[in-house]
Amino acid sequence: MKKLSIILLAALLISTGAVAQKKYSVYGVGFYNLENLFDTQHDEGKNDYQFLPDGSYRWNELKYTHKLHNMATVLGELGTDVLSGVGCAVIGVSEVENAHCLQDLCDQPELKARNIQFCHIEGPDQRGVDCALLYNPALFTVRDVKLVPYVYELPADSARATRGFLTVSGTLADEHVAFIVCHWPSRFAGSYYRELGGKQVRVVKDSLLREDPSCKVFVMGDMNDDPTNKSMYEALGAKEEIDQITPDQMYNPWYNILVKQKTGTLQYDGRWNLFDQIVMTPNVLNQNGAKDYETLKYWKPQIFRRDYLFQQEGKYKGNTKRTTAGGSWLDGYSDHLPVCIYLIKEQK
């Protein structure tokens, strides 16, 4: 497996009076809501009519081609602030219509140059949008892929099929890792349904750890909730302080970014939300002052920002630049900003 190295100085190490230097391998793990990456063809049984040439968005090959290029530009740059020219080892994505769109996306020059591949299982969402995992096969090897269904508790909801939890296990940095890619029910559905999603993902996470307690599990996605909301904080058990995380909980680095830095990944009425999150099990953490990087460990988070991702003028200056808004095609990107975390491991 190709190793990516960076020299991290004394900020990461404590030595006896001298500045110590060690080499580390660094890996990026990202997530991005692609905001309606649809092709121009109808998928049987799906309500994708808005994204057809005669639909409300007048979605044609020109717009689809531009959308693919724009998404590939962002995905190709995600993680390069630390890993120049390499980017993330894996990136979870949401709001992609099908495998055809994913293949077209991976065929874009920005991703094809790195031989980016994808994991995807067609889900039951009525609108036809799914989650997927993009990965660089030079850095991540897939072991298993499954789609765990979202299960409604109330019989009256049983016909409202929605997105499941794409669970991909594999090998990163010679270690067993698993990624659960989510797109929880919308804000229109009410908190109860996202709390239900949090409880179910927690069960999936726990089952992975029962099978292999050393497996490092990452839950990522557009949760349609902030880190402070019940679905994340209570149902999933994703907490904000590294040293206080218990074995049955997860660490959420985005909590304090929202609460203390007052920033996020999407805006509504001038207020930031942080729906796009990557959280992790305690075995990825150095707790209580430990400086152990002999196994893969969490380093830091990043909300990915570039000027081109924002409106530069007009009424909505400073907002994310969407593909369409108010019925007009903006040739933009997404209403969400991408996020990533960096993991490090000492080179032997």
Side-chain angles (χ1 to χ4, degrees), residues 6 150 179 247 305:
I6 184 171
Y150 178 104
F179 303 99
R305 288 182 167 88

Side-chain angles (χ1 to χ4, degrees), residues 187-203:
R187 301 290 274 189
F188 297 106
S191 178
Y192 162 80
Y193 295 99
R194 292 184 297 282
E195 292 171 42
L196 185 58
K199 293 175 183 177
Q200 293 180 29
V201 170
R202 192 169 190 165
V203 170

Side-chain angles (χ1 to χ4, degrees), residues 2-18:
K2 181 180 177 182
K3 295 290 185 181
L4 309 173
S5 64
I6 184 171
I7 296 179
L8 305 178
L9 302 178
L12 292 177
L13 303 166
I14 296 178
S15 63
T16 56

